[in-house]
Amino acid sequence: MTNSPKGFTLNNADSCRVKFARRFLRSLIEIKTRQTNYNNNLSSSPSSSSEIRRRSERIKLKAYSSMAHAVGPRKAWTRALLLKLHNRAKRHRFRTRKRSSLAMVLKKKRVFRVKNHANFYKPAAERGNYSVLNSDEKTEKLRELVPGGKAMDICSLLEETAHFIKCLAMQVQVMHEIADQLSN
Amino acid sequence: MNRTLPEMLHCLNSVGNLLAGNCTDMTVLDRQRARLKWQQEQLQQEEQQQQQDGYFNGSDQLNGIFFNPAQAGQFPGFQGLVGGVSVIGDTTANRPVKPDPSLENGWSELDRFEMSGIGFGSSATGLANGPGFQMTGAISRTSSSPPTVAPLTPEVKSRESFSPEKTSSAAGRESFKKRKADKVNNTKGVQEDDSREKRAKGSAEEGDSKITEQNSPKNNNTNANNRESSADTSKENSKASEVQKPDYIHVRARRGQATDSHSLAERVRREKISERMKYLQDLVPGCNKITGKAGMLDEIINYVQSLQRQVEFLSMKLAAVNPRLDFNIDDLFAKELLIIVIFLKQITIKQMFPACAGAGGFQTLGMSAEMSNSPYLQFNPAQQVVSCGGLEMGMNSHDMGLRRTISAPVSIPETFLDTSCYTQIQPPTTWDSELQNLYSTEFNQGRSSIPFSSQPFTGSIEASNLKMEM
């Protein structure tokens, strides 16, 4: 597994899928129960747009965290993602009022750090080849997308990207199926 | 090696017995220290013998274990020793001549192994082999000779053995360096092997010639041929010193490529990146036609972003859907396991029968309430396990379920299938047979050491896939 860039075998992928499905469903139910309690306490309308947005945000976070848990801490991106979510939850506990989206907060932070780290990846740019420069910029962009990508060299970044893409595809598929089932 | 090693050991043992075997249990460090001492001091004949014995022993072990400079170092030492023996016992001219063929045999063997270049291991054994042979011969001879010539020798022998030893240790170090380089080269696909072989041979012969040069003034009558060889190899020696290269080469450079370390490392890195890129190209749809790193990266970024957007959208959808599910908590757990069952079934159906007409029926059935009662949930053990985990949300039940699946004999799934499937629902008959086959194959495969409970199920899926494809 270390020398080959392949993420996981079919069997492992299926186990990941099932783990993710279980975790995600459990967290869905958690959210649901919490929300019903909340609604019972406050007796607010459950389907206002802000409520739905908040809930969708929570579901998304749960989806990401359950994906990271399902994959396990062996991959760098899962570690980074879990750390990120953990930090966010910690921050969230302090200021529950402001519910900025995870992506915005993290993007700001990431951009800042990427600027700091940009010096590491000069050698491709120094050659002056335009396409390489361009690809370098794109690599920076990819770094923002893959969690924990800002601290990787390019080889491991690509490897983690491959795994991340696989897991994201799996997640999307599972969520799609669950949504289909629930909306029926 | 296997054949020669007992011989060597036997010989060494005999020598050890002969010389009261004091040095057989010395450590390698002690041996090396003793060897140094032996080089520097001028000792008595018996002590010298003992230490030679220890030295040879040490080199033998070194050969056996990690095939060190000692093999090249000991060899000239041995030759010097042979020379010493020849001087000592100069009554018989054939005695010093006798080791020479063996030596040359050893060298030829060494050369053969070097030239063959099969791999590092084989060459190592060959190298360990050759000195072993020579060593045995040397030791046997020395051990046989000394009692008669003990009083004559000390200063002659020490002088003789001292001066070649220095050169030999130098040569040994040199050749060790080259061996290391050889190792690297061999592991990485051999291109410059010929030159290296030449160099190794050159170094070997270098040591040889030096020793012979040192030996030749003493024993003129015996080493005539050796002097010839030294004259032959002197040119090669100069060449060998010229062709020295750093030993950090990990990649071979093709013709016209830069060979300094930075460019080599850069090349390795680029190869790795391109490999990963190729893998990503397979992974990302619509990335096959795009060439060029920038375009591919663009495509990858777009794909990741689209996937993330999809996740967002789906979570929105789920959030919108979620309030419709008005259940109390128990019902929710039931719902969860129901969903899991459905989900798993869906997966199986999708993976087993991609175009199965019964899939839709299953889905609609799955939504009905009667699907959540227990006989159906015992439809197969894997689902049961999952439902257990879902019901009680605990690791204990989970483990129990896991144990149950592990310890489940082949008959249980069949009974499940027989009882539940036929009574509760009307699945396609192929389903039953398929599952039975699945379980038989699965349990035949003996997947009992499975860390996760759902893995039997996934394994069965895999098996079914295989079967379906076959």
Side-chain angles (χ1 to χ4, degrees):
Chain A
M1 187 153 295
T2 51
N3 47 14
S4 76
K6 283 166 190 167
F8 37 58
T9 59
L10 176 68
N11 193 7
N12 200 355
D14 279 338
S15 91
C16 265
R17 174 196 298 267
V18 174
K19 274 186 208 169
F20 167 69
R22 287 189 53 227
R23 275 184 183 276
F24 183 58
L25 285 169
R26 206 182 293 168
S27 49
L28 268 188
I29 286 164
E30 229 170 76
I31 288 169
K32 170 73 186 164
T33 54
R34 200 197 294 169
Q35 195 226 328
T36 49
N37 291 340
Y38 184 74
N39 285 343
N40 289 340
N41 289 342
L42 291 188
S43 69
S44 69
S45 70
S47 58
S48 70
S49 67
S50 68
E51 183 69 27
I52 284 180
R53 210 183 308 134
R54 222 178 60 199
R55 209 184 308 129
S56 80
E57 190 66 30
R58 209 180 290 154
I59 286 171
K60 197 179 81 180
L61 293 183
K62 284 290 177 190
Y64 275 122
S65 78
S66 47
M67 178 173 68
H69 275 297
V71 172
R74 206 169 300 159
K75 288 283 170 184
W77 67 264
T78 59
R79 290 195 299 268
L81 190 58
L82 286 175
L83 184 70
K84 204 192 296 172
L85 292 172
H86 182 72
N87 286 341
R88 188 190 177 276
K90 222 193 260 175
R91 238 183 299 123
H92 207 67
R93 249 172 262 145
F94 284 120
R95 36 191 187 121
T96 48
R97 183 180 53 84
K98 189 181 176 186
R99 295 177 183 280
S100 61
S101 88
L102 169 73
M104 283 306 290
V105 170
L106 290 172
K107 210 167 263 180
K108 269 181 212 159
K109 219 170 156 187
R110 263 190 213 150
V111 165
F112 177 67
R113 286 201 188 153
V114 161
K115 270 175 192 164
N116 280 349
H117 278 253
N119 287 331
F120 284 142
Y121 306 101
K122 272 282 165 63
E126 277 170 4
R127 264 173 242 135
N129 192 352
Y130 175 70
S131 69
V132 172
L133 194 77
N134 205 3
S135 80
D136 204 42
E137 282 169 6
K138 276 165 189 165
T139 311
E140 294 305 316
K141 208 173 167 189
L142 191 64
R143 256 173 230 290
E144 292 172 24
L145 285 176
V146 179
K150 56 184 178 288
M152 294 175 199
D153 63 320
I154 182 139
C155 280
S156 47
L157 173 73
L158 291 177
E159 204 172 331
E160 296 282 329
T161 307
H163 195 262
F164 185 56
I165 283 175
K166 265 191 169 181
C167 289
L168 267 183
M170 182 267 292
Q171 185 192 24
V172 165
Q173 197 186 342
V174 169
M175 284 175 79
H176 197 73
E177 282 170 11
I178 289 172
D180 277 355
Q181 287 298 325
L182 287 180
S183 59
N184 267 347
Chain B
M1 188 71 188
N2 286 332
R3 201 161 43 78
T4 57
L5 194 62
E7 239 177 63
M8 281 159 55
L9 285 176
H10 171 68
C11 196
L12 286 171
N13 275 336
S14 69
V15 172
N17 289 335
L18 221 147
L19 302 169
N22 284 336
C23 297
T24 49
D25 53 352
M26 290 167 79
T27 63
V28 176
L29 193 74
D30 282 340
R31 277 175 201 131
Q32 284 180 352
R33 214 175 286 150
R35 178 181 151 203
L36 279 174
K37 227 195 286 170
W38 176 55
Q39 286 175 2
Q40 285 164 0
E41 295 173 8
Q42 299 195 351
L43 294 174
Q44 293 294 317
Q45 170 71 24
E46 286 86 6
E47 284 175 14
Q48 215 176 12
Q49 279 298 322
Q50 270 188 356
Q51 274 159 357
Q52 276 163 6
D53 177 29
Y55 165 62
F56 278 124
N57 230 344
S59 60
D60 168 41
Q61 287 211 353
L62 282 176
N63 278 330
I65 298 164
F66 50 173
F67 142 72
N68 239 3
Q71 59 166 5
Q74 108 221 329
F75 187 29
F78 153 64
Q79 223 191 19
L81 199 130
V82 170
V85 170
S86 73
V87 171
I88 291 157
D90 65 65
T91 54
T92 57
N94 64 338
R95 191 185 276 171
V97 174
K98 233 182 201 170
D100 271 342
S102 75
L103 273 180
E104 280 164 8
N105 278 340
W107 281 123
S108 68
E109 213 177 270
L110 194 140
D111 285 346
R112 186 161 53 79
F113 270 96
E114 290 265 337
M115 291 293 259
S116 65
I118 301 158
F120 178 61
S122 71
S123 71
T125 53
L127 287 171
N129 226 346
F133 270 128
Q134 293 134 23
M135 215 169 54
T136 54
I139 288 172
S140 63
R141 260 172 208 101
T142 48
S143 62
S144 62
S145 63
T148 59
V149 281
L152 300 179
T153 47
E155 77 284 2
V156 180
K157 184 148 192 181
S158 58
R159 215 194 313 148
E160 277 224 7
S161 60
F162 181 23
S163 46
E165 197 56 27
K166 257 187 177 171
T167 61
S168 71
S169 64
R173 235 161 272 143
E174 219 174 39
S175 68
F176 176 58
K177 232 187 254 170
K178 278 164 197 162
R179 293 287 140 60
K180 224 165 106 186
D182 257 352
K183 176 182 164 188
V184 168
N185 211 17
N186 274 335
T187 49
K188 284 293 176 186
V190 192
Q191 199 194 21
E192 303 168 338
D193 218 2
D194 291 340
S195 66
R196 274 171 196 280
E197 272 165 22
K198 262 182 210 161
R199 263 185 288 134
K201 205 166 71 178
S203 77
E205 283 167 352
E206 179 184 13
D208 203 353
S209 67
K210 269 181 191 168
I211 295 141
T212 50
E213 275 163 10
Q214 296 237 353
N215 283 337
S216 53
K218 307 280 176 176
N219 33 8
N220 289 321
N221 52 349
T222 59
N223 278 334
N225 50 352
N226 270 349
R227 239 188 300 166
E228 281 174 13
S229 72
S230 77
D232 280 337
T233 54
S234 58
K235 288 170 201 168
E236 282 188 37
N237 291 346
S238 60
K239 204 169 68 183
S241 57
E242 274 178 10
V243 202
Q244 285 270 351
K245 266 188 188 175
D247 52 354
Y248 46 72
I249 297 175
H250 298 292
V251 208
R252 63 178 188 193
R254 283 189 210 91
R255 205 175 161 80
Q257 282 180 328
T259 50
D260 79 297
S261 66
H262 294 283
S263 17
L264 285 174
E266 177 62 22
R267 200 174 304 134
V268 169
R269 180 175 154 275
R270 257 180 276 140
E271 275 172 17
K272 255 191 202 169
I273 288 173
S274 65
E275 182 192 338
R276 260 84 166 168
M277 277 298 207
K278 227 172 275 172
Y279 182 62
L280 272 168
Q281 204 172 14
D282 292 340
L283 211 63
V284 177
C287 206
N288 288 323
K289 285 143 197 165
I290 298 166
T291 55
K293 200 177 156 194
M296 260 162 65
L297 276 175
D298 225 359
E299 200 68 22
I300 289 163
I301 288 166
N302 283 339
Y303 186 57
V304 171
Q305 275 175 341
S306 77
L307 281 174
Q308 281 174 341
R309 247 178 275 128
Q310 261 179 307
V311 168
E312 210 157 326
F313 168 74
L314 282 168
S315 62
M316 283 282 275
K317 198 173 170 186
L318 281 172
V321 160
N322 214 8
R324 269 190 239 159
L325 310 169
D326 288 329
F327 285 97
N328 55 21
I329 293 174
D330 295 336
D331 281 348
L332 276 172
F333 284 131
K335 183 78 184 172
E336 187 199 6
L337 69 93
L338 172 73
I339 287 168
I340 287 173
V341 168
I342 292 162
F343 175 68
L344 287 175
K345 193 150 46 60
Q346 215 174 6
I347 289 175
T348 52
I349 289 165
K350 270 187 183 171
Q351 294 196 351
M352 286 171 74
F353 316 108
C356 185
F362 262 108
Q363 282 177 20
T364 52
L365 271 177
M367 282 313 288
S368 65
E370 64 175 4
M371 295 297 282
S372 62
N373 52 10
S374 56
Y376 179 69
L377 285 177
Q378 288 173 352
F379 178 59
N380 68 44
Q383 282 187 0
Q384 187 192 4
V385 168
V386 173
S387 63
C388 281
L391 263 177
E392 293 168 29
M393 313 280 278
M395 287 309 288
N396 285 330
S397 64
H398 199 82
D399 286 343
M400 294 248 312
L402 182 62
R403 240 172 273 134
R404 222 182 307 159
T405 46
I406 285 172
S407 62
V410 188
S411 61
I412 286 179
E414 284 174 3
T415 55
F416 280 166
L417 289 171
D418 289 341
T419 54
S420 59
C421 290
Y422 282 117
T423 54
Q424 290 292 319
I425 42 170
Q426 296 86 29
T429 51
T430 55
W431 174 260
D432 185 36
S433 63
E434 283 288 334
L435 267 183
Q436 273 186 358
N437 288 334
L438 274 186
Y439 276 99
S440 59
T441 54
E442 185 194 344
F443 280 97
N444 284 335
Q445 278 171 0
R447 295 168 177 265
S448 58
S449 62
I450 292 156
F452 185 60
S453 66
S454 66
Q455 270 193 340
F457 192 67
T458 55
S460 70
I461 289 171
E462 214 176 77
S464 78
N465 269 338
L466 283 175
K467 202 145 55 70
M468 290 301 287
E469 280 167 11
M470 281 165 70

